[in-house]
Structures are given as C-alpha cells and as structure tokens.
Amino acid sequence: MKSSEIRQSFLDFFESKGSRVLPSSSLVPDDPTLLLTAAGMVQFKPIFLGETKVSFSRATTVQKCLRTTDIENVGKTARHLTFFEMLGNFSFGDYFKKEAIEWAWEYVTEHLRLPLDKLCVTIYEDDDEAFEIWRDVVDLSEDKIFRMGEDNFWSAGPTGPCGPSSEIMYDLGADFGCGEAGCTVGCDCDRFLELWNLVFMQYNRDENGNLHPLPKKNIDTGAGLERIARIMQGVKNNFETDVLKPIIDTVAKITRVTYGASPEKDVSLKVIADHSRAVAFLISDGVLPSNEGRGYVLRRLLRRAVLHARLLGVEQPFINQVIDSVVETMRDAYPEIVDSKPFIQRIAGHEQTRFMETLRQGLNILDQAIAQAKAEERESLTGDFVFRLYDTFGFPLELTIEIAEDRGLSVDEESFRNLMEEQRVRARASWAGERELKHAEVYEEVREEFGKTDFLGYEVDEAEAKVKAIIKKTVVVTEAVDGDDVEVILDRTPFYAEKGGQVGDKGVIETESGHVRITDMQEPLEGVYAHIGKVVSGRITIDEPVKATVDIARRQSIKRNHTATHLLQWALRRVLGDHVKQAGSLVEPDRFRFDLTHFAGITKDELRRVEELVNSKIFSNQPVRTFVTSYEFARETGATALFDQKYGEFVRLVEIGNFSKELCGGTHVSNTGEIGLFKITSEGSVGANTRRIEGVTNGAALTYLYKEEDALLKAAGLLKTDPSQLTERIEGLLQTIKQQSQEIESSKKKLAKDVIGDLLSEAKQVDGTKVVVQKVDGADMDSLRSYADLIRDKVGSAILLLASTADNKVMLIAAATPDMVKAGFNAGNLLKKVAPIVGGGGGGRPGLAQAGGKEPGAIDKALEEGWKEIREMLGVKA
C-alpha cells in the first residue's frame, strides 16, 4: 500500500465506525503548556478536559507531528524521526477500551492484513481490564500479551489528560534484533516495532502530579504512518518508504553519495532528509528561526542538516533543492505546503547562509583549540570543549572527531556523552512543558529576517507597500482570510505607531483580493511596525502588494491635540513657572491628557490664563515646523526634552513660532490655526507634586462648549429666568431655601417637644425608672433617634423602646440613660430579642441601638415582648 492509500483507508475505516474525519492541526499548538504538536490528541485536549463542547463524540485524523527528544537517534535507527505522521482515532466520552481494542485489531488484521504470528501487544502492568479484553474478546493468547511499566502510561505533557495504554507491536524478526538471549518486547533494539498505541484517557494529572478521574473516559490512539508504510511496502526502515525515499534520493544526488554504499554516510543522508522535511513543515506553520522555544528547534534542525551535508562534502547552499523534493513528495496530503514553498525557501535559505558563516567561525575556533592542544602536548580535545562547540555552533561529534583525527588528536567522547546525557535529561523533563514562544521573539525574528519598516507618515497619509509578514497569535503565517485577527508587517507604511503618548493610527490595508481593517498600530520593536486589525473580506498573503491608507480625519484630530499639548506646556511654564515639566501625556483623536510637575493645585484663574495664552497662539496662526537635527544642537537652542526619555545622536525637533521648541516624534499640524479652539475640561492631582490637565480642541472643544451652554439654558429655563440673570436667581433661591430650612427646623423641634411630651405622659414607672415602650406614627429613623436623645436628656433615669413604620418596613430604637447602662441594661441585647419578631435584626451600643424589620403587622407583638424583656432586665417579676 502506498502511504496515500494507508492514510485514506485508516480514515475511511474509522469514518465507518461513526467518527468525524478532521484535518491535521498546526505543528504550533494552541496550548501554552506545549512547545510543539507531538501527538494527534493535542488539538482535542480541551475536549478531553471537558473545557470545550463539540457536536460529535468520535473523531479520526492524520496528524503531522514533531518530536526532538530522540534527535540523536535519527538516521541511526530504522524508526526514529523528528517529523512524522500519526494516524489517530478518538472517543470523547463515547466508546472505551473494548471498542478501541477490537477496532484496532480489526483494522490491522483485516484491512492491513498483517500476519497474526508477527503481532503481539503490551499493556500497562496494572491494567487487568485491557488484559481480559485482549485475551477473552480478541482471543489473543496470554503469551502474546506483555505487561509493561511507566512506558505504558501515557500523557501529552507534564499536566493534562493521561491514562494507561496498550501497544500493538510487530516482530520484524531476529535479523533486526540485538542478538541477546533475552531479547523480547521492550528491548531497545529494532526487532519489535511499535505500530499503534491505544491510550485509555481516564485521568487528568494536575501540577502536583496527582491523578483525577476525567468527567468522561476517552480514547486517544496513535499509529505511525511511516512505520505502517515500512511494513506494508516491505522496506528495511522508515527512510525507504514512499514519503521519505524520494527526498533521500534528492539528497544523494546533491551530495553525490550513493545511498546504501556506506552506513556512516547513510546516516547523514537520512538526517538531511528527515530534518529538511521537519524544517519545511515548521516554517509552513509559521515558525521562524530563533534562539528560544520552537524557533530554536527549527534552527537546530536546519543546522544539523547543514553540518551533515558538510560531512558529505557539501559546502554550498543546498536546502532549497531538498525542500523542492519535500514539497513534491508531500503536496497531495498537505497542499498548503505548496503555497508556502516560496516563504519556506526564503526563510530556510537565509538561515542556511547565516549558519554557513557561523560554521566558518566555529571551524576557526576548532582550529585554534587543536593548535593549543598540540602546543600543550595534549593528545585529545576535552569533552567540555567539544560539547560547547556542539551546543553553541551545532557541531556534531562526528565532524569534530573527523577534523581532530586529521590533525592527530582524539576526542574525550565519554565526557562529551555525559554532558549530552545531562542535557538530554533536562530536555526530556521540559520539552512538553515549554512555554509558548514569547511575542517579542516573533518581532525580533521578523526584523532579523525582513529588516525594518520605512515610516512615511510624516509626509503622506497613504502609500503603496508590500506585505513582509503576517502574524496570528504570535505565529508567523503566509496568509490570513476573512475573519482572522492579524498583525501585518509592511516594508513601508504611512501609519503612525503608538509612541510618546500619541495613540496609533487606524485605517485600512487593501489588496486585489482582500481588505484589512486596521484598529491599532504598534511598534513593539524598534523598526517593526505592527498593523493590528482584522481581515474583513477576502484574503491577504505575504509578498503581496497593498495600498495602506490612514484614517485621515482621525489623524488630523490627533495632530491638533498633539500640537495643543506643546502649546499647553509653553503656557503652563509662563503662568506657573519654569519648574513645570511634562510627566506624561496621552494624545487621542477626541481628547488629550497632560501630566505636569507642580507643587500645588492650579486655580481657576490660572487655568483661565493658560487657556487664553494657548488660544491666542492658535488665533494668530503660528507656523509649526518639524526637522531632524543633532541632539546637541537641539539642546543648545533651548529645546525641551522629556526627562526620562533616551535620545540618540539625531532627534526630531518640533518648533512653533519662535516660542516653543520640543523634541518629539509625533505628528503635528503645519500651523496652529488648524487647532481651531482649545478648552481645558478638568484639572486635578494624580500623585505627589503631579497634576493632570485634560482638554479638547477644535470640534470636540465646540461640542464641549455647546454641552455647557445647553446645561446653562436648561437651568435658566427651569428657574424661569434669562441665562444672564441665572446667578442672581440662584442666589435668591438659596436664601429662600435657607430661611425655609430654619423654619422647618424650628417646627420640627416644636413637634418633637410635643411628641416627647406625649411619650412621657404614657411612660411607666418601674422602681423609679421611666420606661417608654411606644409606637410613633410617621417617624423616620433619624426622628426616632432624636426623640430618644431628647428624652434621655430630659429625665433622670429612663429606658426606651420606640417603633415606627415607613414604606412597609419597621424601624426600632432602644435606648437608656447612662445610670441604667451602668446598672447593667443593654439596648443591643434588648433588640436582639425584639427585632426577630418583626422579621429583622440589628444592634448597637448598650446605651443606644437600632434595628429594622419587614413585618409591620408584628409591631404590637414586638413591643409587648420588649416590655417583658425590660421588666426582666430590671428584675421585676411578672
């Protein structure tokens, strides 16, 4: 069977079992805990965890994968690869072990028709359930079922879904074995080939390593396409299958080496073929070479390919010829790689050229080390040096040994291998837990690969340009389509990126086939201009010509506000003093904010003088000039600079008339008259000795004044007077209100005396203490407190419990004179007994407490209970 036939038969088989056929996901996983997609289950991890709901419960895929944990074995064994394809079927809380085992066996024996005598299986040592299914359901003899340890407990990373697994193994025969007497399943030799791993996902491993049962049991399986193809095509190793042999042939032609003639040279041919395939797919999925994260994986793979090519005598660029072969071989299964080929070759070719230069440097260092060793009469190079040469420049041990032997030196291989093993242990412990590539690294690689963007925004509002890179979720891609959120990097742009307090431009990027709405503009790295937005129609691709157009009206408003802040700083220094310095700013299209150093609040009169000065310069239509000059010249001419800003040798100077000079990289109007009008809207403190002024200009200032005028007219209308007479009218009303308030207060006092007289007339005497337990109609809580205070002031010894209602709610006050509190009475304790009767609660001090309730109909009962409680507190028997 051809590889294409294997792929299709696998998908067809599981589709017949009710599985949804889904495409391969990217090698860049949408998961910050994973560096690369290393298994078919990665795209389904949120489903396994119950975080994402889908309309199907079964799926099947052919997933492109990449692993580098055993990179040193690539080319040396028959099975190890970095890039490979994984055939997988998945159950999300649907079928489980029985069906997964039965169907896998059915596919292997009935569709692939593999001989039964060549097959055996492994299970996790404690998984009796799987053992019974293989023995009793599949009818596999017990001597064909091998219990294994931790290797048969699988997870995609240090945390997340995991569970026991069962592997289907293929016995290649003694010729592929190690020859040891005890060679059996589990041996590291090539005899027993794992074809398919069935993982029974039933746990979630937390950050502390604890296992928790998943909400639903799941199935995750993975079968190696290249391994199955090797068996089905009757070849000796994965590299001789139809997905790798054409690439091997291309490499052999380039290097003029005959495949199969030399085991040592075959290793290099295989490494170049495997790594070139991995490099092509990584770049196609948006990974760029870097020194960290997945970018480092790409760089390391490409450099190893170059070094192995050198071992075969190739010192000229070759990688793009191999990529041609990769694309041709894989195009039917992954057509997207065809469209990405120019991009892949550009990145890979550039990286190859750079490394060849680095390689020359490494050879120089090696030459120096050999010379030093000979001068010191040493017979070998240290393992530490060889390892550093490998780790820094990617030199393989074989190349160092070959060069050293030519010069009569050996290499301390044991020390080197010990250091390699230490690094390998660290890598295996962390490869799956690497954090997602930092956003900053993407920008660094984009700038390194494509150079800086030319900013044209000081002169123009639109420009023709070309797309250099497209970024989606920190990944560089070759195209974006309708609905994608993107960051577009152009070779030249009229868009101003947010800087120095001025917000970035908005606008559109248009191509023949697409339209991108730009909603923000940033310069995350010097020279890298990121046009942030969304593709609203069609598509946009790299190297495509575009028209970039700034929202001109919005930019003009920003220009007005930015120039206004320069005028504001000049005026503030005139009014408040030369100690004023800018401490921050924000320039937006509809407003501006300006922070300044000043030791006191700014008075209304001072703000008015500032406004008048600024507007006088606006109305006199002063010219605004911008030009680049040396930093020293700018300072010598009195230009104002931000105290915390670092400036280079050359700076941009903004000069207004003959009175304002500031170092500034923002956009500005050409004369102050364009600002139209200036208005301060607020002033206040934002920290010690720092004040903040906010304001508006032009149309926004007019809108602000209209709003103020509308409020004035409305107030005048409500008071039935002319706006010019409003102040006088308000003053008169305030005087009237004051007089009426005094009269009301006087009336309230008189009413309170009357109420208090009534309450005291109803008071009961208990051992010389006046006890007032009454309902007071129409009183609010303030009135009740006032009555309680007045009564306590009026009589010698007294205890009160007053109640009232308002809005269908109950209010209670309990109080006592100081002598009664001293004697042990507690108003708070009294209300704790009484308040629940009216459906409420409350509390307070022993001398005064208050409570509320929601059952007015129970007031009489509450007061009756209160009277009983007071008598008990006073020691009076019922």
Side-chain angles (χ1 to χ4, degrees):
M1 294 176 72
K2 295 179 180 178
S3 295
S4 58
E5 294 171 332
I6 297 171
R7 291 189 194 97
Q8 196 59 50
S9 72
F10 184 89
L11 296 175
D12 290 345
F13 175 77
F14 279 101
E15 187 175 30
S16 73
K17 302 297 185 183
S19 296
R20 174 78 64 86
V21 177
L22 296 172
S24 170
S25 63
S26 170
L27 287 175
V28 179
D30 189 16
D31 184 338
T33 68
L34 298 177
L35 184 65
L36 292 162
T37 298
M41 62 79 61
V42 169
Q43 67 170 302
F44 302 117
K45 185 176 175 182
I47 304 175
F48 285 135
L49 288 172
E51 298 170 352
T52 300
K53 304 297 181 184
V54 292
S55 59
F56 51 90
S57 59
R58 303 178 182 185
T60 183
T61 64
V62 178
Q63 173 65 51
K64 52 189 178 184
C65 300
L66 199 143
R67 297 179 189 173
T68 59
T69 47
D70 296 309
I71 192 172
E72 295 300 329
N73 290 324
V74 173
K76 299 176 182 177
T77 70
R79 67 185 189 275
H80 282 102
L81 301 169
T82 56
F83 176 89
F84 59 95
E85 295 177 80
M86 185 176 286
L87 312 175
N89 60 286
F90 310 90
S91 168
F92 313 119
D94 191 340
Y95 64 83
F96 198 50
K97 287 185 185 179
K98 180 176 179 295
E99 295 85 351
I101 290 173
E102 282 186 295
W103 294 342
W105 194 251
E106 178 185 348
Y107 179 74
V108 166
T109 59
E110 297 182 20
H111 290 261
L112 297 182
R113 297 181 181 179
L114 297 183
L116 295 178
D117 63 327
K118 291 286 188 179
L119 298 173
C120 60
V121 302
T122 67
I123 61 171
Y124 183 54
E125 55 192 354
D126 297 331
D127 195 352
D128 294 331
E129 181 184 3
F131 179 85
E132 292 170 1
I133 294 171
W134 281 115
R135 183 191 63 187
D136 301 336
V137 178
V138 175
D139 197 25
L140 198 63
S141 62
E142 292 189 9
D143 63 347
K144 289 275 192 174
I145 308 171
F146 296 84
R147 292 181 183 266
M148 309 297 285
E150 286 300 316
D151 285 345
N152 274 61
F153 195 93
W154 199 91
S155 62
T159 62
C162 57
S165 69
S166 181
E167 301 164 325
I168 298 178
M169 313 292 291
Y170 189 87
D171 185 359
L172 292 166
D175 290 345
F176 289 87
C178 58
E180 299 291 333
C183 181
T184 185
V185 173
C187 183
D188 285 337
C189 69
D190 284 338
R191 175 173 179 174
F192 296 95
L193 179 66
E194 175 197 333
L195 289 185
W196 203 340
N197 189 14
L198 315 177
V199 181
F200 311 125
M201 287 285 187
Q202 55 194 92
Y203 302 110
N204 181 40
R205 196 197 310 269
D206 64 23
E207 294 180 353
N208 297 318
N210 301 314
L211 298 178
H212 305 279
L214 288 168
K216 294 181 179 180
K217 294 179 180 179
N218 308 299
I219 288 295
D220 157 34
T221 83
L225 171 71
E226 292 84 357
R227 297 185 182 191
I228 292 176
R230 171 189 175 185
I231 303 301
M232 301 303 294
Q233 295 170 15
V235 294
K236 295 179 180 179
N237 57 60
N238 290 349
F239 296 93
E240 295 179 8
T241 63
D242 60 348
V243 290
L244 276 163
K245 187 58 164 59
I247 307 172
I248 290 278
D249 291 342
T250 298
V251 177
K253 183 178 179 180
I254 294 170
T255 59
R256 298 181 181 179
V257 171
T258 302
Y259 177 73
S262 164
E264 292 78 16
K265 291 182 178 180
D266 281 356
V267 169
S268 291
L269 292 176
K270 293 172 182 177
V271 168
I272 296 167
D274 168 82
H275 288 11
S276 297
R277 194 165 70 138
V279 163
F281 276 94
L282 280 170
I283 296 174
S284 177
D285 280 349
V287 179
L288 292 178
S290 73
N291 289 324
E292 293 187 44
R294 57 181 68 98
Y296 177 70
V297 173
L298 169 61
R299 175 164 284 168
R300 184 184 180 200
L301 288 167
L302 200 150
R303 289 184 172 186
R304 290 186 91 246
V306 171
L307 286 166
H308 276 275
R310 189 179 183 90
L311 285 175
L312 299 179
V314 177
E315 297 185 16
Q316 299 301 317
F318 67 92
I319 195 69
N320 285 345
Q321 297 176 63
V322 186
I323 288 172
D324 277 335
S325 181
V326 171
V327 172
E328 190 60 33
T329 304
M330 306 298 292
R331 64 184 300 153
D332 291 337
Y334 302 96
E336 67 274 11
I337 201 172
V338 178
D339 296 333
S340 302
K341 188 174 83 166
F343 182 68
I344 296 168
Q345 291 182 319
R346 186 202 309 168
I347 300 299
H350 179 66
E351 179 70 12
Q352 175 186 234
T353 302
R354 290 179 57 208
F355 178 58
M356 284 181 166
E357 177 59 33
T358 302
L359 186 58
R360 281 190 283 272
Q361 297 174 21
L363 287 171
N364 290 335
I365 294 173
L366 180 57
D367 286 341
Q368 293 171 14
I370 291 173
Q372 184 176 355
K374 288 194 169 187
E376 296 173 357
E377 298 184 348
R378 286 189 284 110
E379 295 182 352
S380 67
L381 297 176
T382 66
D384 177 66
F385 167 76
V386 176
F387 175 76
R388 283 188 288 109
L389 194 63
Y390 167 84
D391 200 40
T392 304
F393 295 99
F395 262 68
L397 177 64
E398 296 87 348
L399 181 62
T400 304
I401 292 174
E402 180 181 327
I403 295 173
E405 286 180 347
D406 286 344
R407 304 284 191 87
L409 294 176
S410 63
V411 169
D412 184 354
E413 292 186 50
E414 182 179 357
S415 175
F416 171 84
R417 296 188 190 283
N418 289 337
L419 291 167
M420 283 295 296
E421 182 58 29
E422 291 175 12
Q423 185 188 64
R424 190 176 291 113
V425 169
R426 291 194 299 271
R428 283 179 170 170
S430 64
W431 74 271
E434 290 284 350
R435 283 285 165 189
E436 190 168 357
L437 189 65
K438 296 178 182 176
H439 215 161
E441 294 167 10
V442 175
Y443 300 126
E444 288 172 0
E445 295 305 322
V446 166
R447 185 174 69 178
E448 186 174 344
E449 178 63 31
F450 304 109
K452 297 180 181 181
T453 298
D454 291 332
F455 174 61
L456 314 173
Y458 292 138
E459 293 82 28
V460 297
D461 299 314
E462 65 179 35
E464 302 293 330
K466 182 176 286 188
V467 179
K468 294 200 300 184
I470 302 170
I471 301 172
K472 289 200 305 183
K473 295 182 178 178
T474 77
V475 176
V476 179
V477 298
T478 57
E479 69 171 11
V481 297
D482 188 6
D484 285 346
D485 293 317
V486 295
E487 297 178 48
V488 181
I489 313 297
L490 304 178
D491 63 340
R492 58 207 301 262
T493 182
F495 283 76
Y496 181 87
E498 181 175 342
K499 190 186 299 181
Q502 178 176 324
V503 297
D505 282 331
K506 294 183 179 182
V508 295
I509 291 177
E510 298 171 288
T511 72
E512 288 187 0
S513 60
H515 186 102
V516 185
R517 182 171 60 245
I518 304 303
T519 56
D520 192 16
M521 187 70 192
Q522 297 289 329
E523 188 183 6
L525 197 64
E526 196 269 324
V528 178
Y529 285 75
H531 303 72
I532 302 169
K534 180 186 286 289
V535 181
V536 294
S537 65
R539 68 178 61 237
I540 182 171
T541 60
I542 61 167
D543 292 330
E544 186 176 18
V546 300
K547 181 179 180 181
T549 306
V550 173
D551 182 337
I552 299 174
R554 181 177 181 273
R555 171 182 279 192
Q556 194 61 28
S557 295
I558 294 172
K559 285 182 176 181
R560 295 186 186 102
N561 285 340
H562 202 154
T563 306
T565 62
H566 286 222
L567 294 175
L568 174 61
Q569 179 165 220
W570 164 78
L572 286 167
R573 290 168 67 87
R574 287 283 300 272
V575 174
L576 303 178
D578 291 340
H579 64 277
V580 169
K581 299 246 187 296
Q582 180 178 336
S585 70
L586 174 65
V587 180
E588 295 181 319
D590 55 349
R591 71 186 183 104
F592 65 81
R593 187 180 72 211
F594 187 86
D595 295 345
L596 63 139
T597 56
H598 188 53
F599 48 81
I602 306 175
T603 66
K604 285 182 171 50
D605 285 343
E606 289 170 334
L607 290 175
R608 177 64 59 83
R609 288 168 56 198
V610 167
E611 280 186 345
E612 289 173 346
L613 282 172
V614 172
N615 280 310
S616 70
K617 295 302 182 184
I618 292 173
F619 301 154
S620 61
N621 203 27
Q622 298 287 327
V624 179
R625 297 177 295 275
T626 59
F627 54 92
V628 175
T629 185
S630 70
Y631 177 71
E632 289 303 320
F633 175 79
R635 293 308 305 268
E636 287 173 5
T637 58
T640 302
L642 292 177
F643 67 90
D644 60 349
Q645 182 71 47
K646 293 181 179 179
Y647 296 96
E649 181 180 357
F650 294 97
V651 294
R652 187 166 182 266
L653 182 63
V654 178
E655 186 177 71
I656 306 176
N658 60 0
F659 59 90
S660 172
K661 292 180 182 179
E662 291 191 42
L663 304 185
C664 179
T667 57
H668 291 271
V669 296
S670 57
N671 60 75
T672 59
E674 294 178 40
I675 299 173
L677 185 64
F678 173 92
K679 183 74 180 96
I680 294 173
T681 57
S682 69
E683 186 277 337
S685 172
V686 289
N689 298 324
T690 305
R691 311 295 298 181
R692 172 169 293 171
I693 290 176
E694 296 190 13
V696 287
T697 64
N698 201 52
L702 199 57
T703 299
Y704 176 84
L705 293 176
Y706 282 156
K707 186 177 179 180
E708 295 285 294
E709 183 182 41
D710 288 344
L712 181 66
L713 292 172
K714 184 176 181 180
L718 290 172
L719 297 179
K720 296 181 173 55
T721 187
D722 186 86
S724 62
Q725 303 297 318
L726 186 58
T727 303
E728 184 179 337
R729 176 71 170 137
I730 291 174
E731 289 175 347
L733 287 173
L734 290 175
Q735 185 61 35
T736 300
I737 291 170
K738 182 178 179 181
Q739 292 175 354
Q740 291 176 345
S741 296
Q742 291 173 346
E743 294 172 0
I744 291 171
E745 190 63 29
S746 177
S747 297
K748 286 176 67 176
K749 289 180 179 179
K750 182 177 183 302
L751 178 61
K753 289 180 181 179
D754 293 341
V755 172
I756 291 168
D758 292 340
L759 292 174
L760 289 176
S761 67
E762 298 292 331
K764 300 176 182 179
Q765 289 283 346
V766 180
D767 292 338
T769 299
K770 289 185 180 294
V771 179
V772 178
V773 180
Q774 292 288 331
K775 178 180 179 182
V776 184
D777 294 329
D780 56 18
M781 187 62 80
D782 287 340
S783 297
L784 291 180
R785 280 196 296 267
S786 178
Y787 298 157
D789 289 340
L790 289 170
I791 290 175
R792 287 187 299 175
D793 291 341
K794 192 176 183 67
V795 299
S797 297
I799 293 173
L800 302 93
L801 177 60
L802 305 179
S804 182
T805 61
D807 298 327
N808 210 34
K809 293 180 181 179
V810 179
M811 292 163 285
L812 295 172
I813 281 283
T817 52
D819 61 316
M820 298 310 300
V821 173
K822 189 175 181 180
F825 179 81
N826 190 304
N829 290 343
L830 174 60
L831 288 188
K832 287 179 182 179
K833 297 282 188 178
V834 174
I837 298 174
V838 294
R845 303 185 305 275
L848 180 68
Q850 67 183 52
K854 54 187 178 182
E855 298 179 17
I859 283 182
D860 291 341
K861 183 178 179 182
L863 292 177
E864 181 179 348
E865 182 63 27
W867 169 242
K868 291 180 182 179
E869 288 293 330
I870 291 171
R871 286 170 60 84
E872 289 183 12
M873 289 179 178
L874 293 176
V876 178
K877 295 181 181 180

